[in-house]
Amino acid sequence: MNIKEIEGLLDRYYEGETSLEEEQKLKDFFLQDEVPETLRQHQPLFRFLISEAKLTLSEENQEASLDRRIERYRGETSVLSVHPGKKRLYYLSAMAAGLVLLIGLVFLIRNEAGRKGYMENTRPSTELAYNQTKQAILMVSVGLNTGLDEVQRLKTLDNAMGQIQRINKFYNYQTQFINPERMQDPSTNK
Amino acid sequence: MNLQDFNTKVYPLKDKIFRFAKRMLGQNEEAEDLVQEVFIRMWKIREKLDEYRSLEALAMVTTKNLCLDKLKARKFPMESFNDQRQFIETIAEELRPDHSDLVSGVKEAMNALTQQARIIVHLRDIEGYEFDEISEVTGMEENAVRVALSRARKRIREILINNKRYEYQRN
């Protein structure tokens, strides 16, 4: 293969016009050790392209990849098993909170209802207390009234006392005019 | 498609899938894992596989899509994230006798291309695909593939020449 032909192929190669067969020719040409000086600058490219095409996925690489996958899978599963656990815990705590709230609410309502019931129950007894109080007040007032009667009797005594006073005045008047000595010392005269 | 068919028709594609995935992802480990993923995907639709005209095209499209998903899922653009790993891999490859500095320079030039251009050069110049096959994998018109291929090849040449100039200057 002469240099002119290779140069022509190279020009077309860079224009993207070469066929696969022509490109294989170029690769074969640059694979040989004696490449003319003028064309040597193109050699690394084609050698690189040839060597890259030989790259294979070895068994050990595949196995290493498999090991990595298994490891990652384990990691994922452990993460997965932790994650739903966390989620479950979250739901559980939410449920517990809800339950506590419910129980609290039930107790509160019950208490409220109980208190209401108590009030209902006490209503007649308040009436009773009212009546009792009324009775007690009545008793006091009755007692007071009887006391007032006694006081009324005292008034008659007072009246009586007034009359006695008048008798006493008359007696004083009588003794001053009729018998002054007697009046002065009634005890010695007797 | 039964297991035996799968083993004879799909499994031999493993190297092509691996090379394509490595080209797109830029590193070995992920590419190795991706091969398994592509096989799993294809095994899952094994009942329908006979309906496809080309299993290889299907495998390559699946590879491309999975790679694009992987690249999108990356938190960092892997080019920078993977520098160290790539560096180590490059050293290992350079130790092989058939790899000169110049050849690894080509690899750098390939990596400097856009993803689309890299895919096209890979399929054409490494896997030896016809334009209609490339068009099937990339979803581009054949003519557009040809234009993009030409542009990418020239870009590689340009990068290689610039690198060489830089090396001369350095020396």
Side-chain angles (χ1 to χ4, degrees), chain A residues 13-16 18-20 23 27 44 48-49 52-53 55-57 61-62 65 68-69 72, chain B residues 11 14-15 19 23 29 32-33 36 40 102 106-107 124-126 128 130 146 150 153-154 157:
Chain A
Y13 169 81
Y14 283 110
E15 292 306 320
T18 42
S19 67
L20 285 174
E23 283 162 22
K27 283 177 188 170
F48 171 81
L49 296 177
E52 282 296 297
L55 205 65
T56 55
L57 182 62
N61 280 352
Q62 274 175 284
S65 166
R68 276 198 299 278
R69 287 188 76 87
R72 218 176 306 147
Chain B
Y11 187 71
K14 69 179 171 69
D15 293 331
R19 286 192 291 263
R23 180 72 50 219
E29 255 183 40
E32 286 161 15
D33 291 353
Q36 314 285 340
I40 290 168
L102 292 170
V106 180
K107 190 175 185 171
R124 178 70 183 190
D125 285 348
I126 292 169
E130 291 288 356
R146 199 183 291 273
S150 164
R153 283 170 173 172
K154 284 176 182 169
R157 182 175 59 182

Side-chain angles (χ1 to χ4, degrees), chain A residues 29-187:
Chain A
F29 175 80
F30 284 107
L31 200 59
Q32 59 176 333
D33 285 329
E34 285 95 39
V35 172
E37 189 66 45
T38 50
L39 295 173
R40 205 162 281 172
Q41 54 159 323
H42 300 285
Q43 198 169 20
L45 173 64
F46 288 98
R47 287 218 166 165
F48 171 81
L49 296 177
I50 293 161
S51 74
E52 282 296 297
K54 287 180 193 155
L55 205 65
T56 55
L57 182 62
S58 67
E59 287 296 324
E60 52 188 296
N61 280 352
Q62 274 175 284
E63 237 154 77
S65 166
L66 218 63
D67 285 346
R68 276 198 299 278
R69 287 188 76 87
I70 290 168
E71 219 161 279
R72 218 176 306 147
Y73 178 74
R74 273 199 198 126
E76 270 170 29
T77 45
S78 68
V79 164
L80 277 172
S81 64
V82 163
H83 196 66
K86 263 186 191 169
K87 238 179 187 173
R88 210 171 293 147
L89 199 76
Y90 173 77
Y91 283 125
L92 223 85
S93 59
M95 260 156 74
L99 217 74
V100 164
L101 209 76
L102 205 78
I103 289 169
L105 225 76
V106 162
F107 267 96
L108 199 79
I109 288 167
R110 249 198 196 174
N111 258 357
E112 203 64 37
R115 206 173 293 160
K116 248 183 220 168
Y118 175 71
M119 301 254 267
E120 272 162 24
N121 287 340
T122 52
R123 197 167 291 157
S125 77
T126 11
E127 259 168 62
L128 192 79
Y130 173 72
N131 287 339
Q132 276 176 353
T133 317
K134 206 168 155 188
Q135 264 178 1
I137 291 168
L138 227 80
M139 217 161 76
V140 168
S141 96
V142 166
L144 196 71
N145 283 350
T146 38
L148 275 175
D149 285 350
E150 297 300 315
V151 173
Q152 217 80 37
R153 241 186 267 166
L154 268 174
K155 220 176 189 177
T156 45
L157 182 75
D158 204 37
N159 284 347
M161 283 292 277
Q163 274 166 356
I164 287 165
Q165 212 101 40
R166 247 199 264 158
I167 289 166
N168 205 18
K169 258 184 193 172
F170 173 71
Y171 176 73
N172 278 346
Y173 178 78
Q174 210 180 19
T175 49
Q176 267 179 2
F177 276 92
I178 297 162
N179 198 358
E181 281 91 32
R182 262 183 158 179
M183 218 204 95
Q184 275 168 346
D185 194 5
S187 55

